[in-house]
Structures are given as structure tokens and as C-alpha cells.
Amino acid sequence: MKAYIMLIMLLQLDPDDGLPYTTALQQSPLIEYTSLQECERAAESKRTAMLKSSRQYPDLAIVNILITCVDSSEAEFDSTDIII
């Protein structure tokens, strides 16, 4: 049985030079969803909540948040990057 997890990407602007960069995160605590549709519904709720809370922290310069659901068997995590 497949399980899906969220890959979260924060699109931010560097405060020094104004250039965009991306930070990739895994959902914490990591939750596995049994269907892609269930994961996508949860991802949309999480994205909305994260965008709303990001307004409270303008110093993070978050421009957008993208969340993609991926098959957990195809994702590998290490401390610096997420590889799909």
C-alpha cells in the first residue's frame, strides 16, 4: 500500500540582495497519508495556515509556499536536502 507525505517549499527573498531562494522542508511531525487525495486536501489546509502565519513574521520574506504530495517510498531525507 502506498503512503504519501508532504514536501513543503518556501519561496523567500534574500534580505541582503532581494534575490529569491527556496527552502525545502518536510512536514513535522511526519504524517503519512493513505491516499493522494487525502494528502492534497491536508496540503491545501496546511498551505493556507502557513501563508496566514507567515504574515506575522515579515523578516522571513516568504513570498509563496508550495506543497506537493509525494510517494513516501520515493523520497529520501537528509539533514540538508530532500531528494525526490
Side-chain angles (χ1 to χ4, degrees), residues 22-37:
T22 303
T23 304
L25 309 167
Q26 75 180 63
Q27 183 181 17
S28 180
L30 186 62
I31 299 171
E32 290 190 334
Y33 299 90
T34 57
S35 75
L36 182 58
Q37 294 79 16

Side-chain angles (χ1 to χ4, degrees), residues 53-69:
S53 68
S54 73
R55 293 185 191 117
Q56 298 172 4
Y57 304 97
D59 54 319
L60 294 177
I62 295 174
V63 177
N64 201 358
I65 299 169
L66 303 173
I67 302 178
T68 304
C69 293

Side-chain angles (χ1 to χ4, degrees), residues 9 15 21 39 53 70-71 78:
M9 292 168 281
Y21 68 97
C39 183
S53 68
V70 297
D71 185 334
D78 69 25

